[in-house]
Amino acid sequence: MFLRGFDVGRLVAMALVALAVVACAPPPTPDIEATVEAAVRAALPKPTPTVTPDIAATVEAGIQATMTAAPTATPLPTPTMTPTPTATPIPAPTPTPAPTPRPTATPAPTPQPTPAPTRTIADMVEEAKLGVVRINTGGGNGSGFIFETRPSDGSALILTNHHVIEGYASVRVTVWDAMTYAGQVQGVDPRRDLAVVRICCGSFTALPFGNARSLGAGSEVVAVGYALGISGSATVTKGIVSANRFDNNDSRWMIQTDAPINPGNSGGPLLTTDGSVIGVNTFRWETSDSGRPVEGLGFAVSEVTVQEQLAALKTGRYSVVPTPSPTSTPAPEQVRWQTYINSTHGYHIRVPEDWSTNNVNMNYVHFDNPELSAGFVIESYDSWGGSIDDWVDRFIENTRESYESMFQLLERETKENPYGTGGAIGAVVYRAQGTPENCVQQNEALFLITFSKSYLLESWTCLHSYEEYEAVQKAIFDSFTMR
């Protein structure tokens, strides 16, 4: 080609210079074509001899370029090329390993409390035996149970039947089938066939009382005791409550049961299946009124009656007349009596039930009526030196000195002991007044000396009440019994 190897840009620039020269020529109309042709020819390089340039085509191309360019074209700025930032290669994502399939989780079961092992009757009996005791009087055997312990002095109180210890102020008590203790009879209630015995000293287990009123017919019960006095551990029988009955003759609530109760069981506990005492096993019926043999008729003094009498039994007192039955009221004039037992000095005595008892000092016990117009005093001694006459004389002398305001001796006597226990007795009757504000008292003192003990029994009565209480005081003297 003609323009091969030629710089086209340079050619266009030379054409533009020629146009500028022409524009500066004088006003006569120039021969544009001639001028352009001349300029092109001057600008073109010398043709290579082997190449014939196409002048017409070249001129036409220059004209076209001139006509196309803007007269005052401002060259466009060369754009600053923002270098393309080197792309940071994005690391290929680490392929997530496919999850290992897991077995479907089974929800953990809610932990349940381990149920306590069921407490059997055998378990209960083993625990109850710790509080069941054997009682030996020398004339027979029976049972009882510890219902109260006293850590302050190491003693314990035992409940049993009165017929088990009847006639004895002291007994032998075997605990745990191993340890034997001397027991002192502390309180008795012959009518309801109850008694309390005290033992000392050791670590004892008491049985709890239950609620006999809550047990109806058909409730299971267990009797524990030393049946027939057989050596070894206490025996156990089981049955049900047959009925709850009130015994009007003996003024007590009784539990009838078909649990076998045999001789020797008397005084032992009748228990619920949880080990609570609801009665004191007492007796059984073996024949009917017509003499026909019967079975399954055992009886226990109910916990209801026991709780009613327990406070009095613990203080050494009991009522010897019937208490009101649920349907009867005693006559207002009916006299009530209580029996006091002093196991320390071995005697019993009866006094009116409403008289107060002060036995803080077991050597000096006194009873007083509510109006403080009559009373009774018992002093006990292990021994007394001298004769009965010496004793009486010494008493009169000391009493005269204590009643400075007024003392009048009415009677003095000594004689043989009528109680059949040996020794002698002395009697003194006197009147005295402590102060002018006190009443004048009629006092009667009885001195009793035996081979092993000595006692002073003294009644006092305000003179204005003497006739009212004379028979009562005589009955108190007559009830005194030594064991």
Side-chain angles (χ1 to χ4, degrees):
M1 292 289 293
F2 175 75
L3 297 176
R4 182 178 298 173
F6 190 77
D7 187 347
V8 177
R10 183 177 179 184
L11 179 61
V12 173
M14 293 174 65
L16 291 176
V17 171
L19 287 175
V21 171
V22 171
C24 296
T29 302
D31 185 352
I32 296 174
E33 289 183 6
T35 304
V36 170
E37 184 178 355
V40 170
R41 288 180 177 178
L44 288 174
K46 297 297 183 178
T48 302
T50 61
V51 179
T52 303
D54 187 348
I55 297 173
T58 302
V59 171
E60 183 177 358
I63 293 171
Q64 290 296 330
T66 303
M67 295 299 291
T68 301
T72 57
T74 303
L76 294 174
T78 302
T80 302
M81 299 299 291
T82 302
T84 302
T86 303
T88 302
I90 299 174
T94 302
T96 302
T100 303
R102 296 181 180 177
T104 303
T106 302
T110 302
Q112 299 294 327
T114 303
T118 304
R119 189 167 181 258
T120 66
I121 290 179
D123 296 332
M124 179 275 290
V125 169
E126 284 304 308
E127 293 181 11
K129 283 182 178 179
L130 297 176
V132 180
V133 303
R134 183 195 296 267
I135 297 177
N136 188 303
T137 63
N141 293 280
S143 305
F145 63 92
I146 299 169
F147 70 90
E148 182 178 312
T149 59
R150 297 176 172 178
S152 59
D153 62 3
S155 65
L157 297 182
I158 295 167
L159 193 64
T160 185
N161 287 138
H162 172 257
H163 75 259
V164 170
I165 54 84
E166 186 174 7
Y168 296 89
S170 61
V171 297
R172 295 181 68 79
V173 178
T174 303
V175 184
W176 315 314
D177 302 316
M179 303 295 294
T180 300
Y181 298 83
Q184 299 297 320
V185 176
Q186 182 157 323
V188 296
D189 185 343
R191 189 162 192 89
R192 300 174 186 84
D193 201 7
L194 297 172
V196 167
V197 176
R198 179 181 178 272
I199 59 175
C200 191
C201 302
S203 177
F204 304 109
T205 300
L207 301 185
F209 284 107
N211 182 2
R213 296 183 188 275
S214 66
L215 295 181
S219 300
E220 288 188 314
V221 290
V222 176
V224 182
Y226 292 89
L228 304 179
I230 299 174
S231 61
S233 178
T235 58
V236 182
T237 56
K238 179 174 175 290
I240 62 170
V241 172
S242 301
N244 287 284
R245 306 182 183 280
F246 187 80
D247 180 359
N248 282 292
N249 292 329
D250 293 321
S251 186
R252 59 186 179 178
W253 283 99
M254 303 293 293
I255 298 174
Q256 179 185 333
T257 177
D258 67 349
I261 296 175
N262 298 295
N265 275 125
S266 295
L270 186 67
L271 304 164
T272 61
T273 54
D274 69 356
S276 299
V277 178
I278 57 163
V280 181
N281 300 321
T282 302
F283 68 94
R284 67 175 181 176
W285 280 351
E286 296 180 342
T287 61
S288 66
D289 293 339
S290 62
R292 299 177 62 183
V294 297
E295 294 182 0
L297 288 175
F299 293 87
V301 180
S302 172
E303 169 267 341
V304 175
T305 293
V306 170
Q307 296 283 26
E308 290 173 352
Q309 303 302 318
L310 207 54
L313 285 166
K314 288 163 61 176
T315 61
R317 299 164 56 175
Y318 70 85
S319 175
V320 297
V321 298
T323 56
S325 70
T327 57
S328 67
T329 303
E333 67 272 16
Q334 185 177 8
V335 176
R336 297 177 178 274
W337 292 84
Q338 62 180 334
T339 294
Y340 172 77
I341 299 176
N342 190 317
S343 57
T344 301
H345 295 288
Y347 66 82
H348 294 182
I349 194 166
R350 295 173 64 235
V351 295
E353 189 178 55
D354 61 348
W355 285 27
S356 63
T357 303
N358 187 329
N359 61 347
V360 175
N361 182 350
M362 299 295 283
N363 301 328
Y364 182 87
V365 180
H366 63 90
F367 312 91
D368 300 290
N369 76 344
E371 297 82 18
L372 298 180
S373 59
F376 202 91
V377 177
I378 305 175
E379 292 188 56
S380 305
Y381 307 91
D382 289 332
S383 62
W384 182 275
S387 67
I388 186 68
D389 287 312
D390 291 338
W391 195 10
V392 169
D393 291 341
R394 193 181 311 173
F395 173 80
I396 293 173
E397 181 182 351
N398 292 338
T399 304
R400 188 189 305 274
E401 292 178 357
S402 63
Y403 287 100
E404 295 179 356
S405 61
M406 193 273 284
F407 175 84
Q408 180 183 2
L409 179 63
L410 302 178
E411 184 181 338
R412 181 191 184 283
E413 181 183 13
T414 60
K415 60 183 180 181
E416 292 299 317
N417 180 5
Y419 290 97
T421 57
I425 62 171
V428 174
V429 179
Y430 66 95
R431 288 179 181 173
Q433 184 179 26
T435 67
E437 291 78 21
N438 297 132
C439 69
V440 176
Q441 299 176 357
Q442 176 92 353
N443 294 50
E444 299 181 16
L446 179 67
F447 305 88
L448 177 61
I449 298 178
T450 71
F451 296 129
S452 58
K453 287 279 186 180
S454 301
Y455 303 96
L456 166 62
L457 285 66
E458 183 176 8
S459 69
W460 66 270
T461 309
C462 286
L463 196 58
H464 64 268
S465 300
Y466 182 77
E467 291 184 3
E468 179 182 354
Y469 285 99
E470 181 180 13
V472 173
Q473 298 284 32
K474 183 177 184 304
I476 295 174
F477 275 111
D478 291 343
S479 71
F480 180 79
T481 304
M482 292 173 291
R483 295 294 178 119

